[in-house]
Amino acid sequence: MLTEEQLKAIEQEGNVLVLASAGTGKTAVLVNKLIRDIERNKTYKSIAAMTFTIKATAEIRNRLGNLSYNQYIGTLNTFAVEEIIKPFFKDLYDINKEIEIDVKYDDSIMTANEGVKKIQETGIIGTYEDIRKNFIFQLALHIVKKSKACRLYLQAKYFKLYIDEYQDCDRDTHNFFMYLCYQLKIQLFIVGDPKQSIYIWRGADTKILKELEENPLFIKLRLFKNFRAHESLEAFSFIFDSKYQKSINGISSEKRIYYFFASQSNWPRKIKSYISEDNSVVLRRMRETAKNNVQDLESISKSFFYIEEPTIYQIYSSAKYLLLELAKFLIIPSYSTFEVIDNYIDFNILTKSQLTEIEIRLRNLRELYNEGLDIRNIVEDIGVLLKINIADEDFNKFKNSLSDLYFQDSLIGQEKSFTTRTIHSSKGLEFNQVIIFVQDFNNFYNDDNKNLFYVAITRAKDSIIIIDCTGNFNCLNKLKSLCRQRNVELESFVSIKY
């Protein structure tokens, strides 16, 4: 059942900015907005829905079902590469027709001229050594501005673009989409939350959403109602949201947040009786501390598992998306050839005989894998059919992930109940209980640290354990100060354990 504020966002026409706090059902809003606009579209034009991750893309595509056909559902970078750079690079630059253009994210460049030259000579789209700059979107914007054919193509094909997690956009990406909006008159539906901007270190610009809030071309809407967390946790998160106008006093008298003063050696014992029976996670800023906490918790006979990103997610080429689908196909017994084709392959660009050939190769792939035989050649053959080059390095990462037990568990829905992981890797996930350490947030001295804390606490549905091993009261006093700025006392939400 959609709320009034969700329906308002779904039904709003024009350029729209939706500021959605954590747990407010923004994906449901985005999907329902897409369904409404696609079904009401009476022209030959289509939409493009873009996110930052493959997982989010797959979720949107699955929810849309058959409505996703003839629409672009993918990542932002893939949109810029596939819809602009690959087809229109040759309008501006000389390049051998035999060279196939593809992205290699770990191939670094220093300047835009160097990047263009690399594409002309090798077909490789590299990325800046300075990760705060975005060569792909700089080049895409340059091509759109200079290629009339590109502009006409985009105007003829798309009537609206939908972009999720806009708080993670850098300035180059933002400039690109504003050009499409202002100059090409393609409408935008943007969803974001400035409180969840935790990629400032790699160029995400926190000023962008503030600028859009003040932009008269955009209608601003907000989603506040949290469907994920207990109301006491929801109220606690509002101390970080100055835009939330309602009083957060007296929302709930039940305390489900525990603040423990402890030492580096005794914190497991202090929290032992408070650890949830199921789906509890320790979230840390750094990988090493998350790994070390597994051993710390063994001292109280709690078997936590450190969750590391599978190597398949460290593939930095367009082969990543195909290999992820093939991994699902091989690991999930019920995953069919149709699902691989439905999730990855555009029916409209392949002939019936090509689709049949891919289905045959997929069935052969599964047979070889189940028999423990080498699958390198057949994976390469599938790549050739889809015009995707699969480098040895990428195949090895794919193969390693197939033997990663946690990766297997996550794909078949058998995640571990007690885990440790980084805060950044938890984004978009939810857990019954979240355990965090205040020293990971550097006394909340800037927006980056406040946002990281906000993302961590808003992963929790039922309870939060905050551990303070600093040996002083600075972090506690800072949290108390943030609460008082909202005219509420920290003790209204938090039970403090000395």
Side-chain angles (χ1 to χ4, degrees):
M1 190 71 178
L2 295 166
T3 65
E4 185 177 337
E5 61 183 15
Q6 288 177 324
L7 284 170
K8 188 174 181 181
I10 292 165
E11 295 170 357
Q12 183 63 59
E13 302 294 341
N15 294 308
V16 179
L17 169 66
V18 179
L19 297 172
S21 296
T24 54
K26 68 178 181 62
T27 303
V29 169
L30 181 58
V31 170
N32 278 280
K33 176 66 173 173
L34 286 165
I35 292 171
R36 181 179 187 274
D37 289 354
I38 291 170
E39 289 181 340
R40 289 179 173 228
N41 176 36
K42 303 302 180 185
T43 73
Y44 58 85
K45 293 185 179 183
S46 58
I47 60 91
M50 288 163 275
T51 71
F52 279 85
T53 67
I54 302 171
K55 181 181 178 183
T57 295
E59 183 178 359
I60 291 172
R61 187 185 294 275
N62 289 338
R63 290 203 196 185
L64 287 178
N66 292 338
L67 287 177
S68 65
Y69 296 151
N70 294 320
Q71 319 295 333
Y72 175 87
I73 316 291
T75 64
L76 283 83
N77 277 4
T78 304
F79 178 82
V81 171
E82 298 294 333
E83 288 293 84
I84 293 155
I85 297 175
K86 281 188 178 181
F88 298 105
F89 181 85
K90 64 182 181 297
D91 285 5
L92 275 65
Y93 305 103
D94 293 328
I95 185 171
N96 190 315
K97 292 182 179 179
E98 301 301 316
I99 293 178
E100 292 188 6
I101 298 175
D102 200 3
V103 183
K104 197 169 183 183
Y105 290 103
D106 57 351
D107 202 315
S108 62
I109 56 173
M110 296 296 292
T111 66
N113 287 338
E114 181 187 344
V116 168
K117 187 176 180 182
K118 184 182 286 288
I119 297 172
Q120 290 176 298
E121 293 176 352
T122 67
I124 293 174
I125 304 172
T127 56
Y128 283 128
E129 195 168 290
D130 182 352
I131 59 175
R132 294 168 297 179
K133 298 193 298 180
N134 192 324
F135 174 64
I136 288 175
F137 276 97
Q138 284 184 5
L139 179 59
L141 178 56
H142 180 68
I143 291 172
V144 173
K145 286 182 175 179
K146 299 297 181 180
S147 170
K148 183 177 181 181
C150 180
R151 294 194 299 276
L152 292 173
Y153 167 78
L154 292 172
Q155 287 176 311
K157 184 171 183 179
Y158 295 109
F159 69 88
K160 188 174 286 189
L161 309 180
Y162 306 74
I163 311 167
D164 195 10
E165 303 285 3
Y166 207 76
Q167 74 277 353
D168 293 331
C169 276
D170 55 51
R171 183 61 61 173
D172 294 318
T173 304
H174 176 63
N175 290 342
F176 170 81
F177 286 111
M178 289 306 103
Y179 183 86
L180 300 191
C181 179
Y182 298 156
Q183 303 302 323
L184 304 191
K185 308 301 181 186
I186 299 173
Q187 291 185 351
L188 300 181
F189 184 86
I190 292 172
V191 181
D193 181 7
K195 303 184 298 302
Q196 296 190 65
S197 180
I198 58 175
Y199 294 104
I200 298 170
W201 53 273
R202 74 174 186 196
D205 192 337
T206 56
K207 297 177 183 176
I208 288 173
L209 285 177
K210 293 176 182 176
E211 292 170 8
L212 285 175
E213 282 190 74
E214 299 169 0
N215 189 324
L217 288 180
F218 281 81
I219 297 162
K220 278 73 67 178
L221 301 171
R222 292 185 179 277
L223 301 180
F224 284 116
K225 174 61 180 172
N226 190 311
F227 298 94
R228 173 188 299 156
H230 184 269
E231 60 180 1
S232 61
L233 275 62
E234 177 186 13
F236 181 57
S237 72
F238 285 144
I239 69 173
F240 295 91
D241 192 347
S242 60
K243 303 293 184 182
Y244 186 73
Q245 300 299 320
K246 296 180 182 178
S247 171
I248 55 179
N249 257 312
I251 289 181
S252 174
S253 59
E254 185 178 358
K255 294 181 182 179
R256 295 192 176 202
I257 305 168
Y258 309 97
Y259 193 108
F260 285 88
F261 282 97
S263 67
Q264 293 290 351
S265 59
N266 73 5
W267 67 264
R269 292 195 301 276
K270 294 197 81 167
I271 72 169
K272 181 178 179 179
S273 62
Y274 291 83
I275 296 176
S276 171
E277 291 299 314
D278 183 46
N279 198 18
S280 179
V281 65
V282 176
L283 298 180
R284 301 306 304 265
R285 190 184 196 107
M286 306 298 292
R287 286 194 189 98
E288 286 307 310
T289 49
K291 289 179 181 178
N292 293 339
N293 287 158
V294 171
Q295 294 178 324
D296 297 333
L297 287 158
E298 286 177 356
S299 67
I300 57 169
S301 302
K302 286 290 184 181
S303 297
F304 276 69
F305 297 85
Y306 170 66
I307 306 304
E308 188 156 25
E309 183 179 63
T311 55
I312 196 168
Y313 291 115
Q314 298 165 21
I315 294 174
Y316 302 112
S317 71
S318 55
K320 177 177 186 175
Y321 310 105
L322 172 60
L323 293 174
L324 186 60
E325 279 301 311
L326 294 182
K328 293 178 186 176
F329 179 67
L330 294 177
I331 290 171
I332 305 172
S334 61
Y335 208 74
S336 66
T337 57
F338 174 78
E339 285 175 291
V340 177
I341 294 170
D342 187 39
N343 288 334
Y344 179 78
I345 301 164
D346 188 344
F347 287 94
N348 300 297
I349 62 173
L350 295 176
T351 64
K352 186 175 181 180
S353 62
Q354 287 173 319
L355 287 171
T356 301
E357 183 65 25
I358 289 170
E359 285 189 86
I360 293 170
R361 298 298 173 93
L362 286 171
R363 286 195 290 270
N364 291 341
L365 171 64
R366 178 172 272 167
E367 289 175 7
L368 290 174
Y369 178 75
N370 289 339
E371 293 172 10
L373 300 176
D374 182 44
I375 59 173
R376 176 70 180 95
N377 290 337
I378 196 161
V379 168
E380 191 174 80
D381 289 345
I382 293 171
V384 170
L385 285 170
L386 297 171
K387 297 182 179 179
I388 296 291
N389 177 51
I390 299 174
D392 289 340
E393 180 185 5
D394 293 343
F395 176 78
N396 289 334
K397 290 177 179 177
F398 162 72
K399 190 175 180 181
N400 289 339
S401 290
L402 292 178
S403 59
D404 182 325
L405 294 179
Y406 172 73
F407 180 62
Q408 294 178 18
D409 288 345
S410 67
L411 287 184
I412 62 178
Q414 293 182 354
E415 288 88 351
K416 305 294 184 185
S417 293
F418 301 100
T419 59
T420 72
R421 62 194 308 153
T422 64
I423 299 169
H424 287 85
S425 73
S426 74
K427 200 167 180 195
L429 304 178
E430 58 182 46
F431 308 89
N432 289 344
Q433 181 184 71
V434 166
I435 302 169
I436 55 177
F437 291 74
V438 293
Q439 54 262 42
D440 283 340
F441 307 101
N442 299 321
N443 205 26
F444 314 103
Y445 78 92
N446 62 14
D447 285 344
D448 198 14
N449 287 283
K450 290 178 185 176
N451 291 350
L452 198 64
F453 184 79
Y454 176 82
V455 167
I457 64 173
T458 53
R459 301 310 95 201
K461 296 191 291 184
D462 296 325
S463 65
I464 300 169
I465 294 175
I466 303 172
I467 302 168
D468 190 333
C469 299
T470 63
N472 58 58
F473 294 93
N474 292 344
C475 291
L476 180 65
N477 289 336
K478 182 64 176 180
L479 282 175
K480 286 184 175 182
S481 174
L482 288 170
C483 285
R484 286 173 185 147
Q485 291 173 25
R486 301 302 314 277
N487 299 314
V488 68
E489 294 298 320
L490 180 68
E491 289 81 353
S492 301
F493 316 103
V494 180
S495 177
I496 301 173
K497 309 289 185 181
Y498 293 97

